[in-house]
Amino acid sequence: MHGRKREEDPNPEETAAKALELRSLQSQFMSNHHQKIYTKEAIQLSAKLLITNPEFYTAWNYRKLAFESRLDEDSDTSVVNSIIDEELGVVKNALERNIKSYGAWYHRKWVLSRKGHYYPSLENELQLLNDYQKQANQKQDDEKQDDPSRNFHAWNYRRFVVELTKTSKEDELQYTTDMISDISFTIYSAWHYRSVLVSSLVAKKADGFMPKETIRRELDYVHSAIFTLEEKQSGWFYYLWLLDQTVKMETPLRFSSWPSDGSIIILSGPDCFNASSSTTKLTTFCSESGSFPLILYFDQAVSGVSSSTVTIDSELKDLVWEPVSDKKNSQVDSCVWVARLKCDSREPCFSRKETKVKVSLGGIVSSMGCNLTAPYEFVFTLRIHDTLEGESSQQESIVSWTDDLDNWDDDALSNDLHSFIAFKADTGFEWRKKAIKIEIEHFRTLPDSKIGKLILARLLMAEETMIANGVHYKEILQLYNDLMALDSWHAQYYKDEHSVALIHKVTSRTESMSRHLFRYRSMNNIVCLRLNNLTLSRIAAVEKLLFVQMLDLSHNEFHSAEGLEAMQLLCCLNLSHNRIRSFSALNSLRHLKQLRVLDVSHNHICGELPVDTTRYLCSSPLSNSGETGREVPNKYQDAYLVLRDLMKLKQLDIRGNDLIFAGEEFSSFVRHVVPKLVWLDGHKHTS
């Protein structure tokens, strides 16, 4: 186990005799346990058994029962302390036999945490731990001996004792300094404990622990570890944690929205998709129901988004805000929140063809418990088209991703585009920028290495996040290309990070973004964003893409659609010629309520069930869905879970995948799940 070879027993006869003795001890012990015998002899027998085998959990439980029984009989303080001393002695002997015995460590904590009894020697526990954990130098000559300084049981027990004795966090921080500096730079547990202590001291604003000074001090401290022992990972983990603390804002101030501040939204009727126009409008939104989504995107998960924390014009009815997330806690925390604003002509504010809408935010809380400290508001103008009301006609023509696309050449729309891709700047970045800049200078002097290149790439990305001038992206992309060549084992991770940097580069400036924008003539000249043939494997910068209604991600290397759920305006999506292996990888598309066209052709989507098949073992409403009116075959379960929520879908292309998605059976299944579907795999459905 753990790379250690099993050694051949040199004395099999002696081992057999010990096994016989152990069985005899267990037999006598179990008899005492069943008869609830807690005499001195019986308790001594259990101690002998535990010293022989510390992993005998029943014996620890027996000693707990015996401990309680003896305390009930005598409550004299000196007697109680003697009993506690005896228990701690048994634990000590057991740990000498096996330092990683869960039962022994837990029993020691249980004894010391008994309510109503104060153990005067508790104050000595920390000193005992100090002596024990600092024995590392004396133990290193024996390779078979576990290093006490790295024993996570001891570190967990230390935190327990610190809480009981109310030892100050400042003292404990100094202890980690001593352990790292005097014993070894490579003690993972010490670095982890240090991160916990620093976080707590900064959070409560302890004297000398303001974020700016603390992070600078800790960065300087960890340099001695990572630059001295570059090949050791423990210090790097702590450094990466510090880097995250440097970039991350405490409060969720940074967000984007759709509509953006100062924008003019043109709300058209349901047939605008079938119309043609001589002009292009980034802000035109085609609505089949006279409503459109309001989208708030935060840089961290937030809760508390409701009609009381987000107010929208007193004349409008309260809106229902919903989180957009597949995570389990999405009912309370999410980066993306959406509400549907209904434009009812009977409302006074919509009796006019143009109205201003003001959105105010306040009282929102991040997942880390920080409030949106400064209230924020944005205003947009809503222009309502004369043909807003009415029924939508059927989509007669098929949407093509190769025809009817014209180059973007409208300079007049640059201001509109800038308003959408300009992320709100935050205050409080100055010291963070300075800290990152100093770190970049340090790492430029580091000799070429895998970890050095990776950290430099992350530092440059962090600086781009704060200054947003696009000067570092060329170097970042080259660093990730170098890493893919240096470290093939982690090539997919580097490719994902390369994709993130590339998309940020594309969306960083109006000029670079414009090169990927096109007009689609057949759908009222809506703007199509084409990010195809870029070898992308991960989506990013979606906070700058909330305005996009038509997106082409074909001929890339995506394995899933994760991240696209934030783009609530998407009506056309092309994911063909990627590396998607199942419909479950498209699960995030369930949130795109406006989606009308979906192309997932020529991927690797198969009908085999994913690894997590437990959800199919029990009866479920999905097995005989009332929505489809028929039983859903197992091979279509994943497809059903995605398609059932795409109620506006009119065109689906799934050619070039598993053969089970071809033929009349699948066609019939899709017609039942998506009743509005008109085009399937390039063929028009007949009534």
Side-chain angles (χ1 to χ4, degrees), residues 254-325:
R254 304 170 60 222
F255 78 101
S256 62
S257 65
W258 192 89
S260 61
D261 188 30
S263 61
I264 300 174
I265 303 301
I266 302 172
L267 193 62
S268 296
D271 280 330
C272 72
F273 280 125
N274 299 324
S276 60
S277 172
S278 60
T279 61
T280 300
K281 285 292 184 182
L282 283 173
T283 54
T284 299
F285 180 73
C286 300
S287 173
E288 293 185 350
S289 58
S291 66
F292 70 95
L294 294 180
I295 310 168
L296 298 178
Y297 188 102
F298 296 87
D299 69 331
Q300 53 185 282
V302 300
S303 61
V305 179
S306 65
S307 58
S308 60
T309 57
V310 181
T311 57
I312 305 175
D313 285 351
S314 58
E315 295 182 9
L316 297 176
K317 296 178 180 179
D318 290 342
L319 299 181
V320 178
W321 288 92
E322 298 178 348
V324 180
S325 175

Coordinates of all heavy atoms in Angstrom, one line a residue, residues 254-325:
R254 N -18.7 43.5 -8.9 CA -18.5 43.5 -10.4 C -19.6 42.6 -11.0 O -19.8 41.5 -10.8 CB -17.2 42.9 -10.7 CG -16.0 43.6 -10.0 CD -14.7 42.9 -10.2 NE -14.4 42.7 -11.6 CZ -13.9 41.6 -12.0 NH1 -13.7 40.5 -11.3 NH2 -13.5 41.5 -13.3
F255 N -20.4 43.2 -11.9 CA -21.4 42.5 -12.6 C -21.7 43.1 -14.0 O -21.4 44.3 -14.2 CB -22.7 42.4 -11.8 CG -23.5 43.6 -11.8 CD1 -24.6 43.7 -12.6 CD2 -23.2 44.7 -11.0 CE1 -25.4 44.9 -12.7 CE2 -23.9 45.9 -11.1 CZ -25.0 46.0 -11.9
S256 N -22.3 42.3 -14.8 CA -22.8 42.8 -16.1 C -24.3 42.5 -16.1 O -24.8 41.7 -15.3 CB -22.1 42.2 -17.3 OG -22.3 40.8 -17.3
S257 N -24.9 43.1 -17.1 CA -26.4 42.9 -17.2 C -26.9 43.0 -18.6 O -26.2 43.5 -19.5 CB -27.1 44.0 -16.4 OG -26.9 45.3 -16.9
W258 N -28.0 42.4 -18.9 CA -28.7 42.7 -20.1 C -30.2 43.0 -19.7 O -30.8 42.2 -19.0 CB -28.8 41.5 -21.1 CG -29.2 41.9 -22.4 CD1 -28.5 42.4 -23.5 CD2 -30.6 41.9 -22.9 NE1 -29.3 42.7 -24.5 CE2 -30.6 42.4 -24.2 CE3 -31.8 41.6 -22.3 CZ2 -31.8 42.6 -24.9 CZ3 -33.0 41.8 -23.0 CH2 -33.0 42.2 -24.3
P259 N -30.7 44.2 -20.2 CA -30.0 45.2 -21.0 C -28.9 45.9 -20.2 O -29.0 46.0 -18.9 CB -31.1 46.2 -21.3 CG -32.4 45.4 -21.1 CD -32.1 44.5 -20.0
S260 N -27.9 46.5 -20.9 CA -26.9 47.2 -20.2 C -27.3 48.7 -19.9 O -28.3 49.2 -20.5 CB -25.6 47.2 -21.1 OG -25.8 47.8 -22.3
D261 N -26.5 49.3 -19.1 CA -26.8 50.7 -18.7 C -26.7 51.6 -20.0 O -25.8 51.6 -20.7 CB -25.8 51.2 -17.7 CG -26.2 52.5 -17.1 OD1 -27.4 52.9 -17.1 OD2 -25.3 53.3 -16.7
G262 N -27.8 52.4 -20.2 CA -27.8 53.3 -21.3 C -28.3 52.8 -22.6 O -28.3 53.5 -23.6
S263 N -28.5 51.5 -22.7 CA -28.9 50.8 -24.0 C -30.3 51.1 -24.3 O -31.2 51.4 -23.5 CB -28.6 49.3 -23.9 OG -29.4 48.7 -22.9
I264 N -30.6 50.9 -25.6 CA -32.0 51.1 -26.1 C -32.4 49.7 -26.7 O -31.8 49.2 -27.6 CB -32.1 52.1 -27.2 CG1 -31.6 53.5 -26.7 CG2 -33.5 52.2 -27.8 CD1 -31.6 54.6 -27.8
I265 N -33.4 49.1 -26.1 CA -33.9 47.8 -26.4 C -35.1 47.9 -27.3 O -36.1 48.6 -27.0 CB -34.2 46.9 -25.2 CG1 -33.0 46.9 -24.3 CG2 -34.7 45.5 -25.6 CD1 -31.8 46.2 -24.9
I266 N -35.0 47.3 -28.5 CA -36.2 47.3 -29.4 C -36.9 45.9 -29.3 O -36.3 44.9 -29.7 CB -35.7 47.5 -30.9 CG1 -35.0 48.9 -31.0 CG2 -36.9 47.5 -31.8 CD1 -34.3 49.1 -32.3
L267 N -38.1 45.9 -28.8 CA -38.8 44.7 -28.6 C -39.8 44.5 -29.8 O -40.7 45.3 -29.9 CB -39.6 44.8 -27.3 CG -40.2 43.5 -26.8 CD1 -39.1 42.5 -26.5 CD2 -41.0 43.7 -25.5
S268 N -39.5 43.5 -30.6 CA -40.3 43.2 -31.8 C -41.3 42.0 -31.5 O -41.1 41.2 -30.6 CB -39.4 43.0 -33.0 OG -38.7 44.1 -33.3
G269 N -42.2 41.9 -32.5 CA -43.2 40.8 -32.3 C -42.6 39.5 -32.7 O -41.5 39.3 -33.1
P270 N -43.5 38.4 -32.7 CA -43.0 37.0 -32.9 C -42.5 36.7 -34.3 O -41.8 35.7 -34.5 CB -44.2 36.2 -32.5 CG -45.4 37.1 -32.7 CD -44.9 38.5 -32.3
D271 N -42.9 37.5 -35.3 CA -42.6 37.2 -36.7 C -41.3 37.9 -37.1 O -40.9 37.9 -38.3 CB -43.7 37.6 -37.6 CG -44.8 36.5 -37.6 OD1 -44.4 35.3 -37.4 OD2 -46.0 36.8 -37.8
C272 N -40.6 38.6 -36.2 CA -39.4 39.3 -36.6 C -38.3 38.4 -37.1 O -37.4 38.8 -37.9 CB -38.9 40.3 -35.5 SG -38.1 39.4 -34.1
F273 N -38.3 37.1 -36.6 CA -37.3 36.2 -37.1 C -37.5 35.8 -38.5 O -36.5 35.5 -39.2 CB -37.4 34.9 -36.2 CG -36.7 35.0 -34.9 CD1 -37.4 34.7 -33.7 CD2 -35.4 35.4 -34.8 CE1 -36.8 34.8 -32.5 CE2 -34.8 35.5 -33.5 CZ -35.5 35.2 -32.4
N274 N -38.7 35.9 -39.0 CA -39.0 35.6 -40.4 C -38.9 36.8 -41.3 O -39.1 36.6 -42.5 CB -40.4 34.9 -40.5 CG -40.5 33.7 -39.7 OD1 -39.5 32.9 -39.6 ND2 -41.6 33.4 -39.1
A275 N -38.6 37.9 -40.8 CA -38.5 39.2 -41.6 C -37.1 39.5 -42.0 O -36.2 38.9 -41.5 CB -39.1 40.3 -40.8
S276 N -37.0 40.4 -42.9 CA -35.7 40.9 -43.3 C -35.6 42.4 -43.1 O -36.6 43.0 -43.0 CB -35.4 40.6 -44.8 OG -36.4 41.2 -45.6
S277 N -34.4 42.8 -42.8 CA -34.2 44.3 -42.5 C -33.0 44.8 -43.1 O -32.0 44.0 -43.3 CB -34.2 44.5 -41.0 OG -33.8 45.8 -40.7
S278 N -32.9 46.0 -43.4 CA -31.8 46.6 -44.0 C -30.8 47.1 -43.0 O -29.7 47.5 -43.3 CB -32.2 47.8 -45.0 OG -32.9 48.8 -44.2
T279 N -31.2 47.1 -41.8 CA -30.3 47.6 -40.7 C -30.1 46.5 -39.7 O -30.8 45.5 -39.6 CB -31.0 48.8 -40.0 OG1 -32.2 48.4 -39.4 CG2 -31.2 49.9 -40.9
T280 N -29.0 46.6 -38.9 CA -28.6 45.6 -37.9 C -28.7 46.3 -36.6 O -28.3 47.4 -36.4 CB -27.2 45.1 -38.1 OG1 -27.1 44.5 -39.4 CG2 -26.8 44.1 -37.1
K281 N -29.4 45.6 -35.6 CA -29.5 46.2 -34.3 C -29.1 45.1 -33.3 O -29.6 44.0 -33.2 CB -31.0 46.6 -34.0 CG -31.4 47.9 -34.7 CD -30.6 49.1 -34.1 CE -31.1 50.4 -34.7 NZ -30.3 51.5 -34.2
L282 N -28.0 45.5 -32.5 CA -27.6 44.5 -31.5 C -28.7 44.4 -30.4 O -28.7 43.4 -29.7 CB -26.3 45.1 -30.8 CG -25.0 44.9 -31.5 CD1 -23.9 45.7 -30.8 CD2 -24.6 43.5 -31.6
T283 N -29.5 45.4 -30.3 CA -30.5 45.5 -29.2 C -31.9 45.1 -29.5 O -32.8 45.2 -28.8 CB -30.5 46.9 -28.6 OG1 -30.8 47.8 -29.7 CG2 -29.2 47.3 -28.0
T284 N -32.1 44.5 -30.8 CA -33.4 44.0 -31.1 C -33.6 42.7 -30.5 O -32.8 41.8 -30.6 CB -33.5 43.9 -32.7 OG1 -33.3 45.2 -33.2 CG2 -34.9 43.4 -33.1
F285 N -34.8 42.5 -29.9 CA -35.1 41.2 -29.3 C -36.5 40.8 -29.7 O -37.5 41.6 -29.6 CB -35.1 41.3 -27.7 CG -35.5 40.0 -27.1 CD1 -34.6 39.0 -27.0 CD2 -36.7 39.8 -26.5 CE1 -34.9 37.8 -26.4 CE2 -37.1 38.6 -25.9 CZ -36.2 37.6 -25.9
C286 N -36.6 39.6 -30.3 CA -37.9 39.1 -30.9 C -38.6 38.3 -29.8 O -38.0 37.4 -29.3 CB -37.6 38.2 -32.1 SG -36.8 39.1 -33.4
S287 N -39.8 38.7 -29.5 CA -40.5 38.0 -28.4 C -41.8 37.4 -28.9 O -42.6 38.1 -29.7 CB -40.9 39.1 -27.3 OG -41.7 38.5 -26.4
E288 N -42.1 36.2 -28.6 CA -43.3 35.5 -28.9 C -44.4 35.8 -27.9 O -45.6 35.5 -28.2 CB -43.1 34.0 -29.1 CG -42.2 33.7 -30.3 CD -42.1 32.2 -30.5 OE1 -42.6 31.4 -29.6 OE2 -41.5 31.7 -31.5
S289 N -44.1 36.2 -26.7 CA -45.1 36.4 -25.7 C -45.1 37.8 -25.1 O -45.8 38.0 -24.1 CB -44.7 35.4 -24.5 OG -43.4 35.7 -24.0
G290 N -44.4 38.7 -25.8 CA -44.5 40.1 -25.3 C -43.7 40.3 -24.0 O -43.9 41.2 -23.3
S291 N -42.7 39.4 -23.8 CA -41.9 39.5 -22.6 C -40.4 39.4 -23.0 O -40.1 38.9 -24.1 CB -42.2 38.5 -21.5 OG -41.9 37.2 -22.0
F292 N -39.5 39.8 -22.1 CA -38.1 39.6 -22.4 C -37.4 39.4 -21.1 O -37.9 39.9 -20.0 CB -37.5 40.8 -23.2 CG -37.4 42.0 -22.5 CD1 -36.2 42.4 -21.9 CD2 -38.5 42.9 -22.4 CE1 -36.1 43.6 -21.2 CE2 -38.4 44.1 -21.7 CZ -37.2 44.5 -21.1
P293 N -36.2 38.8 -21.1 CA -35.5 38.5 -19.8 C -34.6 39.7 -19.4 O -34.0 40.4 -20.2 CB -34.6 37.3 -20.2 CG -34.4 37.4 -21.6 CD -35.6 38.1 -22.2
L294 N -34.6 39.9 -18.1 CA -33.6 40.8 -17.5 C -32.6 39.9 -16.8 O -32.9 39.0 -16.1 CB -34.3 41.6 -16.4 CG -35.3 42.7 -16.8 CD1 -35.8 43.4 -15.6 CD2 -34.7 43.6 -17.8
I295 N -31.3 40.1 -17.2 CA -30.2 39.2 -16.7 C -29.2 40.0 -15.9 O -28.8 41.1 -16.3 CB -29.5 38.6 -18.0 CG1 -30.5 38.0 -18.9 CG2 -28.5 37.5 -17.5 CD1 -29.9 37.6 -20.3
L296 N -28.9 39.4 -14.7 CA -27.8 40.0 -13.9 C -26.8 38.9 -13.8 O -27.0 37.8 -13.4 CB -28.4 40.3 -12.5 CG -29.4 41.4 -12.4 CD1 -29.9 41.6 -11.0 CD2 -29.0 42.7 -13.0
Y297 N -25.5 39.3 -14.1 CA -24.4 38.4 -14.0 C -23.4 38.9 -13.0 O -22.8 40.0 -13.2 CB -23.7 38.2 -15.4 CG -22.7 37.1 -15.4 CD1 -23.0 35.9 -16.0 CD2 -21.4 37.3 -14.9 CE1 -22.0 34.9 -16.1 CE2 -20.5 36.3 -15.0 CZ -20.8 35.1 -15.5 OH -19.8 34.1 -15.6
F298 N -23.1 38.1 -12.0 CA -22.1 38.5 -10.9 C -20.8 37.7 -11.1 O -20.9 36.6 -11.6 CB -22.7 38.3 -9.5 CG -23.9 39.2 -9.2 CD1 -25.2 38.7 -9.6 CD2 -23.8 40.4 -8.6 CE1 -26.3 39.5 -9.3 CE2 -24.9 41.2 -8.4 CZ -26.1 40.7 -8.7
D299 N -19.7 38.3 -10.6 CA -18.5 37.6 -10.7 C -18.3 36.5 -9.6 O -17.3 35.7 -9.6 CB -17.3 38.5 -10.6 CG -17.1 39.1 -9.2 OD1 -18.2 39.3 -8.5 OD2 -16.0 39.5 -8.8
Q300 N -19.3 36.4 -8.7 CA -19.3 35.3 -7.8 C -20.7 34.9 -7.4 O -21.6 35.7 -7.7 CB -18.5 35.7 -6.5 CG -19.0 37.0 -5.9 CD -18.1 37.4 -4.7 OE1 -18.3 36.8 -3.6 NE2 -17.2 38.3 -4.9
A301 N -21.0 33.7 -6.9 CA -22.3 33.3 -6.6 C -22.9 34.2 -5.5 O -22.3 34.5 -4.5 CB -22.3 31.9 -6.2
V302 N -24.2 34.6 -5.7 CA -24.9 35.5 -4.8 C -26.2 34.9 -4.5 O -26.8 34.1 -5.2 CB -25.0 36.9 -5.3 CG1 -23.6 37.6 -5.6 CG2 -25.9 37.0 -6.6
S303 N -26.8 35.4 -3.4 CA -28.1 35.0 -3.0 C -28.9 36.3 -2.6 O -28.3 37.4 -2.6 CB -28.1 34.1 -1.8 OG -27.5 34.6 -0.7
G304 N -30.2 36.2 -2.3 CA -30.9 37.3 -1.9 C -31.4 38.2 -3.0 O -31.8 39.3 -2.8
V305 N -31.4 37.7 -4.3 CA -31.9 38.4 -5.4 C -33.4 38.2 -5.5 O -33.9 37.1 -5.7 CB -31.2 38.0 -6.7 CG1 -31.8 38.7 -7.9 CG2 -29.7 38.2 -6.7
S306 N -34.1 39.3 -5.2 CA -35.6 39.2 -5.2 C -36.2 40.6 -5.5 O -35.4 41.5 -5.7 CB -36.1 38.7 -3.8 OG -35.7 39.7 -2.8
S307 N -37.5 40.7 -5.5 CA -38.1 41.9 -5.8 C -37.9 43.0 -4.7 O -38.0 44.2 -5.0 CB -39.7 41.7 -5.9 OG -40.2 41.2 -4.8
S308 N -37.4 42.6 -3.6 CA -37.1 43.5 -2.5 C -35.7 44.1 -2.6 O -35.4 45.2 -2.2 CB -37.3 42.9 -1.1 OG -36.5 41.8 -1.0
T309 N -34.8 43.3 -3.2 CA -33.4 43.7 -3.4 C -33.1 44.3 -4.8 O -32.1 44.9 -5.0 CB -32.4 42.6 -3.1 OG1 -32.7 41.5 -3.9 CG2 -32.5 42.2 -1.6
V310 N -33.9 43.9 -5.8 CA -33.8 44.4 -7.1 C -35.1 45.1 -7.5 O -36.1 44.4 -7.7 CB -33.4 43.3 -8.1 CG1 -33.3 43.9 -9.5 CG2 -32.2 42.6 -7.7
T311 N -35.2 46.4 -7.5 CA -36.5 47.1 -7.7 C -36.5 47.6 -9.1 O -35.4 48.1 -9.6 CB -36.6 48.2 -6.7 OG1 -35.5 49.1 -6.8 CG2 -36.8 47.7 -5.3
I312 N -37.6 47.5 -9.8 CA -37.8 47.9 -11.2 C -39.0 48.8 -11.3 O -40.1 48.2 -11.3 CB -37.8 46.7 -12.1 CG1 -36.6 45.8 -11.9 CG2 -37.9 47.1 -13.6 CD1 -36.6 44.5 -12.7
D313 N -38.9 50.1 -11.4 CA -40.0 51.0 -11.7 C -41.2 50.7 -10.8 O -41.8 49.6 -10.9 CB -40.4 51.0 -13.2 CG -39.4 51.8 -14.0 OD1 -38.6 52.4 -13.5 OD2 -39.5 51.7 -15.2
S314 N -41.7 51.6 -10.1 CA -42.8 51.4 -9.2 C -44.1 51.0 -10.0 O -45.0 50.4 -9.4 CB -43.1 52.7 -8.4 OG -43.3 53.8 -9.2
E315 N -44.2 51.4 -11.3 CA -45.4 51.1 -12.0 C -45.5 49.6 -12.5 O -46.5 49.1 -12.8 CB -45.5 51.9 -13.3 CG -45.7 53.4 -13.0 CD -45.8 54.2 -14.3 OE1 -45.9 53.6 -15.3 OE2 -45.8 55.5 -14.2
L316 N -44.3 48.9 -12.4 CA -44.3 47.5 -12.8 C -44.6 46.6 -11.7 O -44.3 46.9 -10.5 CB -42.9 47.2 -13.4 CG -42.5 48.0 -14.7 CD1 -41.1 47.6 -15.0 CD2 -43.4 47.7 -15.8
K317 N -45.2 45.5 -12.0 CA -45.4 44.4 -11.0 C -44.1 43.8 -10.5 O -43.1 43.9 -11.2 CB -46.3 43.4 -11.6 CG -47.7 43.9 -12.0 CD -48.5 42.7 -12.7 CE -49.9 43.2 -13.1 NZ -50.7 42.2 -13.7
D318 N -44.2 43.3 -9.3 CA -43.0 42.6 -8.8 C -42.6 41.5 -9.7 O -43.4 40.7 -10.2 CB -43.3 42.1 -7.4 CG -43.4 43.2 -6.4 OD1 -42.9 44.3 -6.7 OD2 -43.9 42.9 -5.3
L319 N -41.3 41.4 -9.9 CA -40.8 40.3 -10.8 C -40.3 39.1 -9.9 O -39.8 39.3 -8.8 CB -39.6 40.8 -11.6 CG -40.0 42.0 -12.6 CD1 -38.7 42.4 -13.4 CD2 -41.1 41.6 -13.6
V320 N -40.3 38.0 -10.5 CA -39.8 36.8 -9.9 C -38.5 36.5 -10.4 O -38.3 36.2 -11.6 CB -40.8 35.6 -10.1 CG1 -40.2 34.3 -9.4 CG2 -42.2 35.8 -9.6
W321 N -37.4 36.5 -9.5 CA -36.1 36.3 -9.9 C -35.7 34.8 -9.7 O -36.0 34.3 -8.6 CB -35.1 37.2 -9.2 CG -35.2 38.6 -9.6 CD1 -36.0 39.6 -9.1 CD2 -34.5 39.2 -10.7 NE1 -35.8 40.8 -9.8 CE2 -34.9 40.5 -10.8 CE3 -33.5 38.7 -11.6 CZ2 -34.3 41.4 -11.7 CZ3 -33.0 39.6 -12.5 CH2 -33.4 40.9 -12.6
E322 N -35.1 34.2 -10.7 CA -34.7 32.8 -10.6 C -33.2 32.6 -10.8 O -32.7 33.3 -11.7 CB -35.5 32.0 -11.6 CG -37.0 32.0 -11.4 CD -37.7 31.2 -12.4 OE1 -37.1 30.8 -13.4 OE2 -38.9 30.9 -12.2
P323 N -32.5 31.8 -10.1 CA -31.1 31.5 -10.4 C -31.0 30.6 -11.6 O -31.8 29.7 -11.9 CB -30.6 30.8 -9.1 CG -31.9 30.1 -8.6 CD -33.0 31.0 -8.9
V324 N -29.9 30.8 -12.3 CA -29.6 30.0 -13.5 C -28.4 29.1 -13.2 O -27.3 29.6 -13.3 CB -29.4 30.8 -14.8 CG1 -29.1 29.9 -16.0 CG2 -30.6 31.7 -15.0
S325 N -28.6 27.9 -12.8 CA -27.5 27.1 -12.4 C -27.9 25.6 -12.3 O -29.1 25.3 -12.0 CB -26.9 27.5 -11.1 OG -25.9 26.7 -10.6

